[in-house]
Amino acid sequence: MTDILKIKEVIKNSQKVTIISHYSPDGDALASQLALARGLEQIEIEISLINKDPIPDAYQFLKNWECIKPLEEIPDFASVIICVDCATWERTGYLKEQLIGEKTIVINIDHHISNTNFGHLNWVDPNAAATAELIYDLLGLLQVKIDKIIATSIYTGISTDTGSFLYENTTATTHIVVADLINRGADINLVRNSYYENINISKINLLKYGLNNLSFSVDNQVCWVAFTRDVFNNANATDADGEGLINHLKSISGVEVAIIFRETTSDTIKLSFRSKKWADVNQLASKYGGGGHPRAAGCTITGNLDSVVDGVINWVVQSIAQGGTSKFGWDNKCT
Amino acid sequence: MTDILKIKEVIKNSQKVTIISHYSPDGDALASQLALARGLEQIEIEISLINKDPIPDAYQFLKNWECIKPLEEIPDFASVIICVDCATWERTGYLKEQLIGEKTIVINIDHHISNTNFGHLNWVDPNAAATAELIYDLLGLLQVKIDKIIATSIYTGISTDTGSFLYENTTATTHIVVADLINRGADINLVRNSYYENINISKINLLKYGLNNLSFSVDNQVCWVAFTRDVFNNANATDADGEGLINHLKSISGVEVAIIFRETTSDTIKLSFRSKKWADVNQLASKYGGGGHPRAAGCTITGNLDSVVDGVINWVVQSIAQGGTSKFGWDNKCT
């Protein structure tokens, strides 16, 4: 049971609301926060915005991004906390006791299928292309006018979370919402120029390294790149610069599973997985204590980079070799 | 004056129609041809499909692509010829006398602003994101049912001609049309898997070469790569494999003008230009006898690769150095 109407009532009766999203924030997280904040300010609600991690440069074109602060810099937060785009409370990056008191009401608005309904009130719709699509609905329900700035934010959340309308989560509704956002003044040229066509040299250097160091196996069905810390350091690259690289691997003809290994400390390796059609990489990442979606998942493994690469690739290759449509030996839920 | 209603009448009264598009066909050209053909077959019109150049592998997922033939393989063509996505008759790649007789009616359906209205009847709408968007309107006018296959074709034309809804030509109408196409069964997963995520190794190798050989000037505002014939030969790459590479250059932070030089014979260099915000590359290409749009243009220069690169870059750099918003010394029509 989705608590849409209760959420509307709680918000309308609030004087102050805190909006929080997830650590390592992406476009949908930030856009949802900022669009909701600007919308609620229109109906005289005081807003504070909290995020564990800094706003990546790539999203600093979003109006008022600098209003999002870490908890330590917020003098006072509200007893109504809206979590946007967080599948679990832990995704906020904060312990519950840091933000939730006896009287706190937690509202959970999200589109991840893995959402745990951790809020007191929950609006979780896995059919939405982005959390920002739900914010569009919520603002409509609250009869808030979607102005040019809100429209641009929501457009950004939807556009970035769908890979510019390419991913499977894109629906007819997504395009209808976007048509309305453009009619309301969404600045799609700003988003293109500031995000899609504003790739810094660090990111280009990571891509260059990646293309120069592609590895393939199982008739090119598996493609991977391993990044040492030195590669990132030499490219002067951040975590955010590494985002999206894996899509280049996945987009190669015949590749079904793309993997990026990244050494973050001398014995910690972060792995990202993507799949194209049939492989359930959520289950692959789960084997190593991670998770995500069937087409996009991640995990962290303790060990030396070379040995982690060898171990994971050997296992993936063996699993595919065992064959069939359930090529990892799992039930294939994705076809 | 657009001849929409006359075009509708001529088509409805035809028993046979030939549909032709342009040489070096792209997604919009092929998708428009195939969608229109399938639509007209529904109303009992016999169709022949002519194109000067072969269908690139990247578009061979489009249903019935193999029905498009060069003129030499068409036994009999119609007296009603519909040109789609051709700005001029010359873009068909054929001389007029090869296809046009005394009684031939030429219908010209296109979205290029540079269209010369070369048809006997012309439907040219530069506000359309793609010619396929006009085909959608035409089929509606003809009361043809847009089935799953037609919807997938039209979606392909729109998606590829807008760079997946990123380019300036994307409007609210574009998204509304696409929402309807998805509701009619457009297979967006097929398009993603077959086109966007089906990049062959030749193309990856060209991109790798490009990133390894980037040149910059004027505070990184100008970025270029020069490809010798050997690079293409060694990568086993075709013209079509080179498409899209320039967008990687343009997407780099601070780059305003991106240029790719490609040696096609020992003394023929093909140039592609793209600009991001203000530079009118149509005028730049015009200086060398080429043309296009303010943001995308091309030309061919006779000469040795190194000397052509030196000449063009020197001139672009000098022009920008002369400064102002009209940095090429032209009136800037694009801001």
Side-chain angles (χ1 to χ4, degrees):
Chain A
M1 170 69 193
T2 298
D3 303 313
I4 296 175
L5 295 180
K6 286 184 197 159
I7 288 172
K8 174 190 163 192
E9 286 311 310
V10 168
I11 289 175
K12 280 185 77 168
N13 293 319
S14 300
Q15 290 184 313
K16 185 166 181 175
V17 162
T18 291
I19 309 173
I20 187 166
S21 190
H22 57 78
Y23 60 83
S24 298
D26 60 8
D28 192 23
L30 299 166
S32 296
Q33 269 184 302
L34 292 168
L36 182 56
R38 189 173 170 91
L40 297 190
E41 279 175 348
Q42 264 187 41
I43 51 172
E44 310 296 333
I45 297 174
E46 193 187 336
I47 299 293
S48 55
L49 294 168
I50 299 178
N51 260 3
K52 182 76 177 173
D53 288 333
I55 318 304
D57 292 350
Y59 299 113
Q60 293 185 6
F61 69 93
L62 286 168
K63 191 88 173 170
N64 298 324
W65 66 270
E66 67 280 3
C67 298
I68 306 176
K69 309 274 188 193
L71 185 55
E72 309 81 66
E73 292 179 33
I74 300 282
D76 183 26
F77 52 87
S79 57
V80 173
I81 294 179
I82 307 179
C83 297
V84 293
D85 205 40
C86 298
T88 62
W89 173 266
E90 290 66 34
R91 280 284 282 157
T92 64
Y94 293 106
L95 298 174
K96 280 189 178 162
E97 53 266 36
Q98 290 176 279
L99 270 155
I100 304 181
E102 267 185 28
K103 293 186 177 171
T104 309
I105 300 174
V106 176
I107 296 173
N108 164 24
I109 301 176
D110 186 33
H111 74 126
H112 291 93
I113 199 167
S114 54
N115 192 290
T116 57
N117 287 311
F118 61 87
H120 299 103
L121 298 170
N122 301 286
W123 182 347
V124 178
D125 183 356
N127 295 318
T131 298
E133 212 176 279
L134 301 176
I135 300 301
Y136 172 89
D137 289 341
L138 178 59
L139 294 182
L141 204 61
L142 288 165
Q143 295 181 298
V144 165
K145 186 184 165 216
I146 293 180
D147 65 11
K148 183 181 175 72
I149 289 172
I150 296 175
T152 303
S153 274
I154 296 178
Y155 173 84
T156 302
I158 294 175
S159 174
T160 57
D161 239 37
T162 57
S164 194
F165 311 102
L166 276 178
Y167 301 158
E168 272 173 313
N169 57 349
T170 310
T171 64
T173 303
T174 311
H175 284 283
I176 287 168
V177 168
V178 167
D180 187 47
L181 295 171
I182 292 174
N183 282 330
R184 290 171 187 279
D187 191 347
I188 71 170
N189 293 330
L190 175 74
V191 179
R192 185 185 63 252
N193 288 327
S194 307
Y195 180 79
Y196 292 101
E197 297 192 343
N198 195 17
I199 309 298
N200 66 37
I201 289 290
S202 300
K203 196 159 186 159
I204 292 289
N205 284 334
L206 290 182
L207 175 58
K208 186 161 88 173
Y209 179 89
L211 295 180
N212 287 331
N213 292 276
L214 292 173
S215 296
F216 292 95
S217 195
V218 201
D219 293 332
N220 291 357
Q221 287 185 89
V222 182
C223 175
W224 71 96
V225 176
F227 290 91
T228 63
R229 279 183 299 163
D230 282 351
V231 172
F232 264 68
N233 292 342
N234 293 340
N236 199 22
T238 64
D239 273 7
D241 294 327
E243 275 178 22
L245 277 175
I246 196 165
N247 292 326
H248 287 275
L249 278 59
K250 188 180 70 157
S251 72
I252 299 172
S253 298
V255 170
E256 173 60 27
V257 177
I259 313 174
I260 282 186
F261 299 82
R262 190 190 155 198
E263 186 184 45
T264 53
T265 70
S266 61
D267 67 350
T268 309
I269 315 299
K270 278 185 73 169
L271 282 76
S272 300
F273 300 88
R274 294 289 183 280
S275 66
K276 196 179 275 174
K277 293 181 186 171
W278 53 262
D280 186 343
V281 293
N282 178 41
Q283 294 202 30
L284 179 51
S286 302
K287 178 183 157 76
Y288 296 99
H293 307 274
R295 299 280 168 274
C299 64
T300 301
I301 305 181
T302 302
N304 159 279
L305 181 61
D306 289 341
S307 60
V308 168
V309 171
D310 286 349
V312 171
I313 296 299
N314 277 337
W315 187 75
V316 173
V317 168
Q318 279 177 33
S319 303
I320 291 183
Q322 284 162 11
T325 51
S326 172
K327 291 184 185 175
F328 290 118
W330 310 314
D331 286 329
N332 182 355
K333 296 173 184 167
C334 317
T335 51
Chain B
M1 170 68 192
T2 298
D3 304 311
I4 297 175
L5 296 180
K6 287 184 197 160
I7 288 171
K8 174 190 162 192
E9 287 310 310
V10 169
I11 290 175
K12 280 184 77 170
N13 293 319
S14 300
Q15 291 184 313
K16 186 166 181 176
V17 162
T18 291
I19 309 173
I20 187 166
S21 190
H22 56 79
Y23 60 82
S24 298
D26 60 8
D28 193 23
L30 299 166
S32 296
Q33 268 184 303
L34 293 167
L36 182 56
R38 190 173 170 90
L40 297 190
E41 278 175 347
Q42 263 187 42
I43 50 172
E44 310 295 331
I45 297 174
E46 193 188 337
I47 298 293
S48 55
L49 294 169
I50 299 179
N51 259 3
K52 182 77 177 171
D53 288 333
I55 318 305
D57 291 350
Y59 299 113
Q60 293 186 5
F61 69 93
L62 286 168
K63 191 89 173 170
N64 297 325
W65 66 269
E66 68 280 2
C67 298
I68 305 175
K69 309 275 189 194
L71 185 55
E72 309 80 66
E73 292 180 32
I74 300 280
D76 182 27
F77 53 87
S79 58
V80 174
I81 294 179
I82 307 180
C83 297
V84 293
D85 205 41
C86 298
T88 62
W89 173 265
E90 290 66 34
R91 280 284 281 157
T92 64
Y94 292 106
L95 298 173
K96 279 188 178 164
E97 52 266 36
Q98 290 176 280
L99 270 154
I100 304 180
E102 267 186 29
K103 294 188 176 169
T104 309
I105 300 174
V106 175
I107 296 174
N108 164 25
I109 301 175
D110 186 34
H111 75 126
H112 291 93
I113 199 166
S114 53
N115 193 290
T116 57
N117 286 312
F118 61 87
H120 298 104
L121 298 170
N122 301 286
W123 183 347
V124 177
D125 183 356
N127 294 318
T131 297
E133 213 176 278
L134 301 176
I135 301 301
Y136 172 89
D137 290 340
L138 178 58
L139 294 181
L141 203 61
L142 289 164
Q143 296 181 295
V144 165
K145 187 185 164 214
I146 294 180
D147 65 10
K148 183 182 174 73
I149 289 171
I150 296 175
T152 303
S153 273
I154 296 178
Y155 173 85
T156 301
I158 294 176
S159 174
T160 57
D161 239 37
T162 57
S164 194
F165 311 101
L166 275 177
Y167 302 158
E168 273 172 312
N169 56 350
T170 311
T171 64
T173 302
T174 312
H175 284 283
I176 287 169
V177 169
V178 167
D180 186 48
L181 296 171
I182 292 174
N183 281 330
R184 291 172 187 277
D187 191 346
I188 71 170
N189 293 329
L190 175 74
V191 179
R192 185 186 63 254
N193 287 327
S194 307
Y195 180 79
Y196 292 101
E197 298 192 343
N198 195 17
I199 310 297
N200 65 37
I201 288 290
S202 299
K203 195 160 187 160
I204 292 288
N205 284 334
L206 290 182
L207 175 59
K208 185 161 89 173
Y209 179 89
L211 295 181
N212 286 332
N213 292 277
L214 292 173
S215 296
F216 293 96
S217 196
V218 201
D219 294 331
N220 292 356
Q221 286 186 90
V222 182
C223 175
W224 70 95
V225 177
F227 290 91
T228 63
R229 279 182 298 164
D230 282 350
V231 172
F232 264 69
N233 292 342
N234 294 340
N236 199 23
T238 63
D239 272 7
D241 294 328
E243 274 178 23
L245 277 174
I246 196 165
N247 292 325
H248 286 275
L249 278 58
K250 188 181 69 156
S251 72
I252 298 172
S253 298
V255 170
E256 174 58 27
V257 178
I259 312 174
I260 282 185
F261 299 82
R262 191 191 153 196
E263 186 184 45
T264 53
T265 69
S266 61
D267 66 350
T268 309
I269 316 298
K270 278 185 74 169
L271 283 76
S272 300
F273 300 89
R274 294 290 182 279
S275 67
K276 196 179 275 173
K277 293 180 187 172
W278 53 262
D280 186 343
V281 293
N282 178 41
Q283 292 204 31
L284 179 49
S286 302
K287 179 184 156 74
Y288 296 100
H293 307 275
R295 298 281 169 273
C299 64
T300 301
I301 305 181
T302 302
N304 160 279
L305 180 61
D306 288 342
S307 60
V308 168
V309 171
D310 285 350
V312 171
I313 296 299
N314 277 338
W315 188 74
V316 173
V317 167
Q318 279 176 34
S319 303
I320 291 183
Q322 285 162 10
T325 50
S326 173
K327 292 183 183 175
F328 290 118
W330 309 315
D331 286 327
N332 182 353
K333 296 173 184 166
C334 317
T335 50

